[in-house]
Amino acid sequence: MKPIEIVKGIYWVGVLDWNIRDFHGYATPQGTTYNAYLILDEKVTLIDTVKKEFADQLLDNIAQVIDPKKIDLVVSNHTEMDHSGGLPRVMHKIGEDKPLYCSKMGQKNLALHFPEKWNYQPVENGGVLNLGQRTLTFLETRMLHWPDSMFSYVREEELLFSNDAFGQHYAGPERFDDQTGEAIMPQAMKYFANILLLYSPLVLQLVEKVSQMGLLIRTICPDHGIIWRQDPSRIIKAYVEWSRQKPAKKAVIAYDTMWKSTQKLAEAIADSLNQTGVEAKPMHLRSHHRSDIITEILDAGAVLVGSPTMNNGIFPTVMDFLTYLKGLKPAKKIAAAFGSYGWSGEAVKLINQELEEMKFDLIDPGLKIQYVPGPQGIQAAFQLGQKVGQALKNL
Ligand code: FEO
């Protein structure tokens, strides 16, 4: 890849991963990027690295700008291996004794990933490092989304290296928001829903803190996807909006089915909701990836979960989905369960337990239909849709 100069003397030297389709359980149909950044100053600085298998490509990119051995220091904003996996190769190339700046938790976590005894330079929150013409200010962003996460800010350029925050899993020819336009926002939303949703309160606190500190931000350089240079406030405002989780008049119906009986109920509920003027999306769990369903749930006011009873329990894909949903802690949702059963019919009760644990507002005991829903069963599904639709309209 050809390095891209973002502002004078600061380069994108990252790599594109065109082929990845599963990022630890998150569907990435458009691949991803691992962004790393090079600052040419009196102290030549590398911000983050890339996934291990792309480390040589990173070094080749750097070599188009400067001999990698001239790098004076490395900053690791986050330990997860899509950003740190290339560290052993990079440190070996530039000199194992070169300083490696990270948060205190970063030092601890890096040492738990890599046996090398690097020259760690743990930094304090708010600590400043003078590079010559520019400075780096470090801002700890604990649990956004790992305890070691931090931002590095170049005050002189009003440029923020935000690591995972504000990223998108997207590989394409564009490097900047002015090149993608609005088309990048669904990717940014999916990224937020799957990586940061459970930390929404911390996102709001961080935005407030940055605002109080009076940090001016002209450019945001995340470690995945495009760089925000035309309108960085666009993505900050979107993060605030997504973090607030204001429920829209929209329902997501996530379900699986064995002999299409639960599917008939799901589609009748969707039809009913649509007739009340509520946008309803029936999403079959073997046709839609869980990471896409959670993205739809981000702004939905209602979540309905349907499962046939299988072996006295919940269908496996539905349990997988509920586990994923529970971990991401979406808030402010109306919910209900439904499903077809043969003889025992435990699934609805078990789903209700899961939804209650998630602190969703269960507005119905749930709809159970034995075997195949006839007109009465479809009517009951329709009534459930009406009930949910009315509750959404009253929000
Ligand atoms: Fe892109 Fe948390 O790593």
Side-chain angles (χ1 to χ4, degrees):
M1 288 297 297
K2 190 174 173 337
I4 308 279
E5 194 168 34
I6 304 164
V7 295
K8 186 137 186 66
I10 300 184
Y11 293 82
W12 173 85
V13 288
V15 300
L16 301 183
D17 188 347
W18 294 100
N19 298 320
I20 189 167
R21 291 293 176 268
D22 183 325
F23 191 100
H24 59 46
Y26 172 145
T28 49
Q30 298 188 78
T32 193
T33 58
Y34 311 113
N35 296 335
Y37 300 96
L38 184 69
I39 306 175
L40 298 189
D41 209 313
E42 287 164 33
K43 287 181 183 163
V44 178
T45 300
L46 178 65
I47 306 283
D48 290 324
T49 69
V50 296
K51 219 173 175 181
K52 182 180 176 183
E53 56 264 41
F54 295 92
D56 281 334
Q57 210 176 314
L58 168 66
L59 288 167
D60 288 346
N61 295 348
I62 294 168
Q64 294 179 57
V65 182
I66 193 169
D67 179 352
K69 292 193 176 70
K70 291 189 174 162
I71 291 174
D72 294 298
L73 63 103
V74 177
V75 173
S76 170
N77 280 324
H78 176 32
T79 306
E80 196 164 7
M81 284 189 283
D82 47 333
H83 311 296
S84 69
L87 268 175
R89 183 82 187 94
V90 166
M91 297 307 284
H92 181 73
K93 179 81 174 181
I94 70 172
E96 302 277 356
D97 58 339
K98 296 277 176 74
L100 174 54
Y101 289 81
C102 54
S103 65
K104 283 182 184 165
M105 194 60 83
Q107 176 178 2
K108 188 175 163 204
N109 287 353
L110 284 168
L112 291 168
H113 281 73
F114 304 102
E116 291 86 347
K117 304 286 182 210
W118 288 319
N119 176 12
Y120 288 111
Q121 299 291 323
V123 298
E124 299 286 345
N125 183 39
V128 178
L129 177 65
N130 194 337
L131 303 180
Q133 301 302 310
R134 307 178 190 83
T135 55
L136 276 180
T137 302
F138 302 108
L139 300 170
E140 280 195 70
T141 56
R142 287 187 182 207
M143 298 320 299
L144 289 173
H145 70 130
W146 275 24
D148 49 66
S149 300
M150 68 174 190
F151 290 171
S152 300
Y153 176 67
V154 185
R155 188 173 295 278
E156 297 73 13
E157 307 286 357
E158 299 174 357
L159 183 149
L160 183 71
F161 296 110
S162 63
N163 195 264
D164 277 333
F166 310 121
Q168 331 90 49
H169 282 313
Y170 172 72
E174 311 93 342
R175 296 276 70 77
F176 299 100
D177 56 343
D178 44 286
Q179 295 165 334
T180 60
E182 281 297 297
I184 200 64
M185 291 312 288
Q187 299 301 331
M189 185 177 182
K190 179 173 178 178
Y191 189 93
F192 179 92
N194 283 276
I195 308 281
L196 293 160
L197 178 57
L198 76 159
Y199 303 117
S200 291
L202 294 178
V203 172
L204 291 173
Q205 282 173 23
L206 178 68
V207 171
E208 180 66 30
K209 188 168 112 186
V210 168
S211 153
Q212 283 171 359
M213 289 169 75
L215 290 191
L216 299 172
I217 298 175
R218 211 174 342 142
T219 310
I220 298 177
C221 299
D223 272 6
H224 298 286
I226 58 96
I227 294 161
W228 306 90
R229 70 175 176 188
Q230 184 181 48
D231 185 10
S233 69
R234 172 88 182 80
I235 188 66
I236 295 172
K237 281 183 197 153
Y239 265 48
V240 169
E241 185 190 323
W242 296 331
S243 297
R244 287 188 177 140
Q245 298 188 62
K246 184 164 179 257
K249 292 180 179 31
K250 169 180 166 185
V252 174
I253 305 161
Y255 73 97
D256 207 327
T257 194
M258 291 169 74
W259 293 102
K260 297 199 187 310
S261 290
T262 303
Q263 180 173 340
K264 282 179 183 149
L265 297 175
E267 291 176 359
I269 293 167
D271 186 24
S272 171
L273 277 159
N274 286 330
Q275 286 187 35
T276 67
V278 167
E279 179 192 358
K281 296 205 168 187
M283 302 183 88
H284 188 306
L285 282 156
R286 279 177 285 157
S287 301
H288 296 86
H289 195 270
R290 63 171 104 81
S291 54
D292 293 316
I293 299 177
I294 190 73
T295 309
E296 289 291 345
I297 286 175
L298 178 60
D299 64 351
V303 179
L304 291 102
V305 181
S307 173
T309 295
M310 186 188 204
N311 302 329
N312 307 110
I314 300 174
F315 198 75
T317 54
V318 180
M319 201 61 221
D320 169 280
F321 164 71
L322 288 168
T323 302
Y324 194 65
L325 187 67
K326 191 191 283 184
L328 287 165
K329 294 188 170 64
K332 304 175 188 170
K333 308 294 180 199
I334 290 167
F338 62 95
S340 160
Y341 69 100
W343 49 98
S344 56
E346 291 90 343
V348 164
K349 186 179 88 180
L350 294 170
I351 293 170
N352 280 347
Q353 287 170 6
E354 297 290 328
L355 296 172
E356 278 173 343
E357 274 186 36
M358 292 182 226
K359 301 190 170 43
F360 285 7
D361 181 11
L362 268 186
I363 63 158
D364 191 273
L367 175 63
K368 284 168 62 175
I369 298 292
Q370 192 165 21
Y371 291 114
V372 180
Q376 280 188 338
I378 295 298
Q379 180 60 22
F382 201 84
Q383 283 167 355
L384 179 58
Q386 294 288 302
K387 192 171 179 181
V388 173
Q390 202 51 54
L392 283 174
K393 286 188 155 184
N394 292 338
L395 283 179

